[in-house]
């Protein structure tokens, strides 16, 4: 009777460990608005004046934040 109690107690103690190991990690929050839009099958873009594409800082931000770029017209 005592041996059965020890086995049941050991099995009961292992259940939370198994449940914790089986838990899947939560998805990370999207880093950009374009990533958030992609999560629902959408695109997120912007219109840009052609002269701004020569600015490396501006181009870096466009590349990081947007998935689509359209030429801006006046």
């Amino acid at each position: 009777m005592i041996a059965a109690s020890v086995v049941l107690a050991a099995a009961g103690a292992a259940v939370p460990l198994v449940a914790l190991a089986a838990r899947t990690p939560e998805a990370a929050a999207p880093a950009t608005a374009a990533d958030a839009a992609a999560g629902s099958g959408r695109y997120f873009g912007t219109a840009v004046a052609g002269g701004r594409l020569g600015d490396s800082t501006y181009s870096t931000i466009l590349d990081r934040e947007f998935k689509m770029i359209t030429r801006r017209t006046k």
Side-chain angles (χ1 to χ4, degrees):
M1 188 71 143
I2 293 175
S5 297
V6 171
V7 170
L8 289 175
V15 170
L17 297 176
V18 171
L20 183 60
R23 190 177 134 205
T24 57
E26 296 176 15
T32 65
D35 292 339
S40 62
R42 299 177 184 167
Y43 295 102
F44 187 76
T46 189
V48 180
R52 299 299 306 238
L53 295 175
D55 180 344
S56 65
T57 301
Y58 197 80
S59 294
T60 299
I61 293 169
L62 291 173
D63 187 47
R64 181 185 66 226
E65 298 294 327
F66 303 100
K67 298 297 184 206
M68 296 182 70
I69 298 174
T70 302
R71 181 176 173 254
R72 186 187 87 183
T73 58
K74 291 185 178 185

